[in-house]
Amino acid sequence: MSSINILSKEISELIAAGEVIERPASVIKELVENSIDAGAGHITVEIKNGGTTYMRVTDDGSGMSFEDVPTAFLRHATSKIFTKEDLDNINTLGFRGEALSSVAAVGKVELMTKQKNYTYGTIYSIAGSEELSHEKGGCPDGTTIVIRDLFYNVPARAKFMKKDVTEANAVSNIMQKITLSHPDVAFKMIRDNRIEFNSAGDGELYSAVHAVYGKDFARDLLPVDYEYNGIRISGYTVKPLYSRSNRTFQNFFVNGRYIRSKLCSTALENAYENMVMTGKFPSCVLMIEMSPHDMDVNIHPSKAEVRFTDEKRITDAVYFAVKNALMNDGLVYEFQIKQNQEWKKPVDKEKTETVQQEIIFSPIEITDSRINEKSTEIPKKTEQVFAESSTEKEHEKTISEPVSTVDEPMYESFKYISAKNFEKPAEPVEIQPENVKSAEIKKPDIKIIGEAFGLYILAESESRIIMVDKHAAHERIIFERLRSRNCRQYSQALLTGIKILLTSEEIDIMENNTELLENLGFVFDFSERPYITATAVPTFIMDTDIENIICEVADNLRLHKQNPQSEFLDDMFHNMACKAAIKANDKNSPEEMKSLVEQILANENIRHCPHGRPVMFTMTKSNIDHQFKRT
């Protein structure tokens, strides 16, 4: 056996650095978090070649004293923890005291820092954990750190770096998360001499979202503001129609720290159940505020994961917060016709003898329109209802034009671009339940215009045109009936029973769930094994293949016999509703179509079919008037 040796300082520093510094993005995260903890109001991050050759972080924070600078580069040097009790009450982002030490072990570092009201600052350089210079000099307030040639002394690590564009994307992703979590700080991200994004630092989360993800993403959000059992959930969640094909845009922050959490992601997606299409996932930017004593952030080297002491409490808080926001919005989408309409000039002058002129219509784009409807009660302490106003509050900010970053000096004057001329979703207004009166809601006046393409109902109501997908709407209505387990009123006795051949296991599970089946509108006779006889079925499946539907019911119950009333039965309800719903080109009377539209407007749950497609769109009279140049 080889003798046991104490590792040299150089090797131990490299090993420690490997635990914290994986790639340029790891360096940026650690340094930016230190800047935030230092009270910076403006932070600029610049990288070149993905950060492998050059990284710069400049802030206007508190800075460091001349004496503290060398100490800051020692392992476990921190200004945030003094006793073991402090570990149970961590509110800062960086606290391990390993960031600067780890960076200095694998890169060439130059630091310039100055505290406010001091005449001179400190200029310091270190490479491979070896101090190169430490002297006083002229610097602006705050701290600037430049790192060059990451992993220059660890070639084995350097060769595992990805392509420059991949490393740069990782840095951008980290910066996006940090920008969203700290809307009160103005961030600038510069990538290869080009400004990638610029946040205002005005304290508004919506401004940060707009800066990071752009106006299209920000336009499709709903505000969230909810408190549950000591946990506050705030931020924004996306409208179901604009869900995405992956979970990339699901952002969760706990006490200002970005986390990856399957727990929170599951709660979010459960809130969207039966609202989004298969293969689509909701996006969000949700801030979770809770006591530090209820979680452990010290379980992951990069602090990207946390452990909650009460997982059910956090999942319930996220679920009810998002569900509340979705149900209060109404989720009625409006066809919005673009307003920049122009008359097209004739291309051939010889053809202008005719007096006809051609009108060019811009493509139709879809936005949404909120409607005031009664709020649906879900478990909560207070109800959140959106304030309606004739005009949305416009958020504007005077901006400075960005300076070119080519040959930009290390100490720049901080300039930022604010999100200009964008509409922010209406903030929720909290109404105490005791002040809410159960006023009778006026039934809307609906006039059926007709039907288009054998599928879409056209109706007029309250200065708007309503377009309804009759199959999707009817499918959702039936689905909600089935889920309510309250379909006895739709049960229709059959003159001649329908016999269905089933396995012994299927018959047993059907017989054991007689009450559930009766609540769905079914009545069976189990006296003639191996057959069961349907003696009554719900009216809305009378025109379908009843035998096939009953076989599917039996199979679903068999698969979920441990908990036959769980949410897994939703698949069965989907199939039943889809088969029973009105189909395209079915003939429907004006009375039937009117009844369908009335049921949609009366029930907030009927905004998407069970597969997530919208059931209706609206077009306001004012938009139509504008299209025809009447306004």
Side-chain angles (χ1 to χ4, degrees):
M1 180 178 175
S2 301
S3 59
I4 298 175
N5 299 313
I6 303 297
L7 291 174
S8 67
K9 179 177 181 292
E10 179 185 11
I11 296 176
S12 62
E13 291 286 359
L14 290 175
I15 292 174
E19 296 175 353
V20 179
I21 305 303
E22 300 174 358
R23 59 197 308 187
S26 305
V27 176
I28 294 298
K29 178 180 182 295
E30 297 288 345
L31 298 183
V32 171
E33 287 182 348
N34 279 350
S35 293
I36 294 170
D37 288 339
H42 297 79
I43 299 174
T44 295
V45 171
E46 181 177 7
I47 61 170
K48 294 178 182 178
N49 302 317
T52 56
T53 61
Y54 181 87
M55 289 179 278
R56 172 172 67 90
V57 177
T58 300
D59 69 58
D60 60 352
S62 59
M64 291 182 282
S65 68
F66 181 82
E67 295 76 18
D68 281 346
V69 169
T71 306
F73 285 88
L74 299 177
R75 284 198 68 197
H76 306 305
T78 179
S79 61
K80 290 117 184 182
I81 294 178
F82 299 94
T83 66
K84 65 180 181 180
E85 286 75 19
D86 292 339
L87 289 172
D88 296 324
N89 194 34
I90 294 172
N91 289 306
T92 54
L93 297 173
F95 59 87
R96 294 172 185 269
E98 296 180 346
L100 292 179
S101 171
S102 298
V103 172
V106 292
K108 302 172 183 176
V109 181
E110 302 167 20
L111 178 142
M112 299 185 183
T113 184
K114 176 178 170 294
Q115 294 177 308
K116 292 182 175 106
N117 302 322
Y118 277 67
T119 305
Y120 295 101
T122 303
I123 301 174
Y124 186 82
S125 63
I126 184 172
S129 299
E130 294 296 325
E131 180 180 301
L132 302 179
S133 66
H134 180 208
E135 55 192 23
K136 293 183 178 180
C139 307
D141 293 344
T143 302
T144 292
I145 298 181
V146 175
I147 301 98
R148 305 178 193 273
D149 304 327
L150 190 66
F151 298 127
Y152 78 99
N153 54 349
V154 194
R157 289 288 302 276
K159 73 178 182 180
F160 281 100
M161 290 293 97
K162 306 279 198 246
K163 293 180 179 179
D164 288 352
V165 65
T166 303
E167 295 298 342
N169 288 341
V171 173
S172 278
N173 186 54
I174 287 289
M175 285 305 301
Q176 288 174 354
K177 308 301 185 191
I178 295 176
T179 301
L180 293 174
S181 65
H182 293 83
D184 55 326
V185 179
F187 291 94
K188 178 186 283 188
M189 172 69 196
I190 304 172
R191 175 172 171 174
D192 294 322
N193 295 329
R194 179 180 60 85
I195 296 177
E196 188 156 286
F197 66 82
N198 215 342
S199 70
D202 58 2
E204 293 285 342
L205 176 58
Y206 191 79
S207 295
V209 174
H210 190 280
V212 169
Y213 290 140
K215 65 178 181 180
D216 290 339
F217 181 89
R219 181 193 61 208
D220 300 332
L221 298 176
L222 302 172
V224 177
D225 194 354
Y226 195 84
E227 188 167 345
Y228 179 84
N229 281 352
I231 299 175
R232 170 93 186 282
I233 311 289
S234 61
Y236 297 92
T237 193
V238 77
K239 297 166 188 172
L241 183 61
Y242 306 113
S243 297
R244 295 175 176 267
S245 57
N246 55 50
R247 297 183 175 92
T248 304
F249 291 91
Q250 291 183 1
N251 298 280
F252 300 98
F253 302 88
V254 176
N255 295 348
R257 184 194 309 277
Y258 171 75
I259 63 164
R260 296 189 298 266
S261 173
K262 290 183 179 179
L263 205 68
C264 294
S265 184
T266 299
L268 171 75
E269 290 168 20
N270 285 343
Y272 281 82
E273 188 178 16
N274 303 312
M275 289 187 182
V276 298
M277 298 180 68
T278 303
K280 296 288 187 178
F281 303 93
S283 306
C284 69
V285 180
L286 292 181
M287 304 295 171
I288 303 170
E289 298 173 43
M290 60 191 301
S291 169
H293 298 285
D294 294 334
M295 62 179 184
D296 182 5
V297 300
N298 200 16
I299 65 170
H300 191 276
S302 64
K303 303 182 285 290
E305 298 176 7
V306 298
R307 181 185 293 118
F308 300 103
T309 57
D310 188 343
E311 292 186 348
K312 186 177 187 307
R313 189 157 65 101
I314 190 69
T315 54
D316 284 350
V318 172
Y319 174 85
F320 289 129
V322 174
K323 196 72 172 177
N324 188 57
L326 291 171
M327 297 180 79
N328 281 333
D329 180 70
L331 299 177
V332 177
Y333 303 97
E334 181 183 344
F335 273 108
Q336 178 68 46
I337 301 176
K338 289 185 178 179
Q339 300 181 0
N340 55 336
Q341 312 300 333
E342 295 180 355
W343 295 90
K344 181 182 178 183
K345 290 184 178 181
V347 178
D348 188 350
K349 291 184 179 181
E350 294 180 359
K351 295 182 180 180
T352 59
E353 295 177 355
T354 62
V355 295
Q356 296 180 346
Q357 288 182 303
E358 184 178 355
I359 301 176
I360 302 302
F361 289 92
S362 296
I364 293 177
E365 65 178 8
I366 300 172
T367 59
D368 89 300
S369 173
R370 300 184 187 94
I371 61 173
N372 270 328
E373 296 183 294
K374 61 181 181 180
S375 66
T376 303
E377 292 186 2
I378 60 174
K380 57 183 180 289
K381 291 187 178 179
T382 58
E383 296 192 25
Q384 308 291 336
V385 182
F386 287 100
E388 295 293 330
S389 61
S390 57
T391 57
E392 296 279 2
K393 179 180 177 183
E394 189 178 65
H395 181 89
E396 293 188 2
K397 193 174 183 73
T398 304
I399 64 171
S400 299
E401 293 298 325
V403 295
S404 171
T405 61
V406 180
D407 299 325
E408 185 178 10
M410 183 177 294
Y411 304 109
E412 62 175 310
S413 58
F414 291 98
K415 297 184 179 182
Y416 60 85
I417 302 174
S418 175
K420 187 179 181 184
N421 295 331
F422 62 85
E423 291 185 351
K424 179 179 177 181
E427 295 293 339
V429 177
E430 186 171 312
I431 300 179
Q432 298 301 329
E434 58 267 22
N435 295 331
V436 179
K437 296 181 180 179
S438 57
E440 184 177 342
I441 297 181
K442 183 181 177 181
K443 193 175 181 181
D445 183 28
I446 297 169
K447 176 184 175 183
I448 298 298
I449 299 171
E451 199 172 357
F453 313 116
L455 181 57
Y456 304 108
I457 299 171
L458 303 180
E460 177 186 335
S461 178
E462 299 176 348
S463 297
R464 58 179 173 164
I465 298 295
I466 301 173
M467 293 162 280
V468 174
D469 182 330
K470 65 180 183 181
H471 172 75
H474 195 215
E475 184 180 14
R476 185 63 189 224
I477 290 170
I478 295 173
F479 177 73
E480 291 298 325
R481 286 177 187 168
L482 292 168
R483 279 217 305 176
S484 71
R485 317 288 204 274
N486 188 27
C487 293
R488 290 177 185 250
Q489 58 185 311
Y490 302 108
S491 184
Q492 174 66 56
L494 301 174
L495 291 176
T496 304
I498 301 174
K499 284 189 175 183
I500 301 102
L501 177 65
L502 297 177
T503 67
S504 295
E505 184 183 11
E506 289 172 334
I507 293 174
D508 287 341
I509 197 66
M510 292 279 279
E511 194 168 8
N512 291 337
N513 284 279
T514 300
E515 184 177 358
L516 169 63
L517 293 169
E518 289 179 355
N519 288 338
L520 298 180
F522 292 97
V523 178
F524 294 101
D525 178 1
F526 298 97
S527 62
E528 299 183 50
R529 290 177 177 251
Y531 293 91
I532 65 171
T533 303
T535 59
V537 297
T539 55
F540 44 80
I541 72 164
M542 293 291 287
D543 296 328
T544 65
D545 186 344
I546 297 176
E547 182 176 346
N548 184 48
I549 287 179
I550 292 173
C551 287
E552 288 186 3
V553 170
D555 189 53
N556 255 280
L557 292 177
R558 180 185 62 80
L559 291 173
H560 304 110
K561 58 186 177 182
Q562 298 299 325
N563 186 13
Q565 298 192 44
S566 72
E567 66 274 9
F568 295 110
L569 292 181
D570 279 358
D571 287 339
M572 177 178 74
F573 298 151
H574 282 178
N575 292 335
M576 289 176 64
C578 186
K579 291 174 181 177
I582 298 169
K583 304 298 189 294
N585 297 316
D586 282 355
K587 301 299 181 182
N588 301 109
S589 67
E591 290 74 20
E592 289 173 328
M593 290 188 283
K594 183 176 181 181
S595 174
L596 197 64
V597 176
E598 287 176 343
Q599 291 181 71
I600 295 170
L601 296 181
N603 189 342
E604 291 177 341
N605 289 326
I606 307 173
R607 294 293 177 265
H608 303 82
C609 79
H611 307 95
R613 296 196 314 272
V615 303
M616 75 170 173
F617 286 89
T618 67
M619 185 181 294
T620 63
K621 182 178 181 297
S622 60
N623 273 340
I624 298 174
D625 288 342
H626 185 83
Q627 187 70 16
F628 283 100
K629 308 296 181 184
R630 287 183 173 271
T631 58

